[in-house]
Amino acid sequence: MTSPSTQPSVTHQFTQGILQAARKAGIELPQTLREQLPADGRTPLAMQDELWEAYCEAAGDPLVGLRLGLSLHVGHLDLVGMLLMSCETLGEALDMLVEYHPIVGEGGDFSLSVEDGLCLLVYEPHYNRRRRERVEAVMACVLNLARWVTGDGIVTRELRFVSAAGAAPERYRDLLGVPVCFEAEHDALCFDAALQATPLIQANTAVRDHLSQLADDILSQLDSAGLAVQVQQILRRHPRWGKDRVAEQLAISGRHLVRKLQDEGSSFRLLRSSVLQQLAEQYLRAGDSVARCSERLGFSDESAFVKAFKRWSGNTPAQFRDEQQY
């Protein structure tokens, strides 16, 4: 197990956003959990798992994630929120989000692509606990922020979710004010690519340049906090890669990678298994076949993938899918 300093984490401000939302909604969280949360600094992702589980359980509302996301403001996104506000255009702000989002939280990754004139801001979570609610919170927060920084100058074509709807679909549209698609290939915010040129209402290049320098410093500190985190991030992007290829990406030898991971109390094999399990579950939820999952993750055949999945989770891929049904 890696030490707390090398574990993925979330900024203190985002954790405070959850606690503030709980107080405002009259949601009582367990005192033992509240006492365990760091008073400052960053919150380990494992502790965020516990916080989200308690928050959703106490709320008893299938749309608690959406409501939380819509209640978050720029301050809850740490320095990144202010940096996004100071950008000149929406496109520049999205590029900054893709680059600096780990400062807010290392629980998922953003990527940006353009397809047939449509811009897709895709979010890929790395957690499993309360996945639907947490993803809905992230996407609702991003949607709200995009509206705010553009002065409602962005018209969203569609908000896509990998998960099935947690409540009647029309309730999502009523809360978000945009078309919503469920059981999609990706969790994504979709809008016309031309809107990337939309100017932001609080653009300030001097502030942007200063904040981006600070963000670079913070990001470098996160990157150096633990090799295990960096290895996991690479494997999520390239799940078929082996130890030597990952080491090459990090500009070190395979042997050096093994030794450094041992120093952190981890191993490449365990890290890769963890990432492959997360990706396999993500792909299965999105509707990929066993054959497709096997191919995407680099297994020699379907049988090898099924055996590995059962070793990870105790269930076959088919049993996992059955458990995900509402």
Side-chain angles (χ1 to χ4, degrees), residues 166-198:
E170 55 268 22
R171 293 183 63 189
Y172 282 80
R173 177 145 191 172
D174 289 344
L175 278 172
L176 298 169
V178 299
V180 183
C181 172
F182 300 97
E183 300 181 78
E185 182 178 359
H186 301 292
D187 295 298
L189 179 68
C190 311
F191 57 93
D192 290 337
L195 290 176
Q196 291 185 88
T198 304

Side-chain angles (χ1 to χ4, degrees), residues 240 276 280 283-284 288-306:
R240 299 170 65 92
L276 292 185
Y283 297 157
L284 289 169
D288 277 5
S289 65
V290 171
R292 175 61 174 151
C293 286
S294 174
E295 191 276 330
R296 292 180 72 176
L297 297 176
F299 284 88
S300 58
D301 54 41
E302 293 181 39
S303 176
F305 169 68
V306 171

Side-chain angles (χ1 to χ4, degrees), residues 59-316:
D61 175 8
L63 298 184
V64 66
L66 282 187
R67 299 186 199 281
L68 172 63
L70 292 172
S71 73
L72 295 175
H73 55 70
V74 170
H76 293 130
L77 304 183
D78 206 310
L79 174 144
V80 175
M82 295 181 287
L83 174 58
L84 298 182
M85 287 171 51
S86 64
C87 290
E88 292 188 275
T89 65
L90 177 63
E92 183 182 53
L94 292 175
D95 287 338
M96 292 288 188
L97 176 63
V98 170
E99 182 172 1
Y100 294 115
H101 70 268
I103 294 174
V104 182
E106 297 172 282
D109 287 317
F110 283 101
S111 61
L112 200 61
S113 64
V114 177
E115 301 175 3
D116 300 323
L118 196 65
C119 187
L120 275 66
L121 179 65
V122 176
Y123 178 64
E124 296 185 17
H126 307 321
Y127 41 75
N128 294 314
R129 299 272 295 273
R130 293 291 180 174
R131 182 191 187 281
R132 178 182 63 79
E133 292 91 339
R134 292 163 80 172
V135 169
E136 289 177 359
V138 169
M139 300 308 288
C141 177
V142 171
L143 173 64
N144 220 24
L145 182 62
R147 287 169 169 164
W148 195 83
V149 298
T150 61
D152 282 331
I154 181 173
V155 177
T156 304
R157 285 278 199 93
E158 188 175 56
L159 194 54
R160 300 174 184 174
F161 290 113
V162 169
S163 299
E170 55 268 22
R171 293 183 63 189
Y172 282 80
R173 177 145 191 172
D174 289 344
L175 278 172
L176 298 169
V178 299
V180 183
C181 172
F182 300 97
E183 300 181 78
E185 182 178 359
H186 301 292
D187 295 298
L189 179 68
C190 311
F191 57 93
D192 290 337
L195 290 176
Q196 291 185 88
T198 304
L200 303 194
I201 59 176
Q202 295 198 23
N204 187 316
T205 56
V207 171
R208 177 205 61 196
D209 293 344
H210 175 65
L211 292 176
S212 63
Q213 290 179 0
L214 294 177
D216 284 335
D217 291 340
I218 295 173
L219 198 58
S220 66
Q221 292 170 16
L222 289 177
D223 287 343
S224 63
L227 184 63
V229 173
Q230 297 178 63
V231 168
Q232 288 177 310
Q233 290 171 344
I234 293 171
L235 287 172
R236 288 185 188 108
R237 296 192 298 270
H238 307 285
R240 299 170 65 92
W241 283 10
K243 167 176 60 66
D244 291 335
R245 189 74 184 276
V246 171
E248 181 183 346
Q249 183 76 10
L250 293 166
I252 59 177
S253 69
R255 288 184 178 181
H256 193 193
L257 174 62
V258 170
R259 288 196 299 271
K260 292 191 65 144
L261 287 175
Q262 286 176 341
D263 290 342
E264 291 187 0
S266 186
S267 73
F268 183 82
R269 182 181 63 81
L270 290 175
L271 292 173
R272 189 168 188 269
S273 293
S274 175
V275 170
L276 292 185
Q277 179 182 359
Q278 292 171 7
L279 291 176
E281 293 177 353
Q282 175 184 320
Y283 297 157
L284 289 169
R285 287 193 192 95
D288 277 5
S289 65
V290 171
R292 175 61 174 151
C293 286
S294 174
E295 191 276 330
R296 292 180 72 176
L297 297 176
F299 284 88
S300 58
D301 54 41
E302 293 181 39
S303 176
F305 169 68
V306 171
K307 288 179 181 177
F309 192 89
K310 191 168 184 179
R311 184 173 67 251
W312 296 329
S313 66
N315 293 324
T316 65

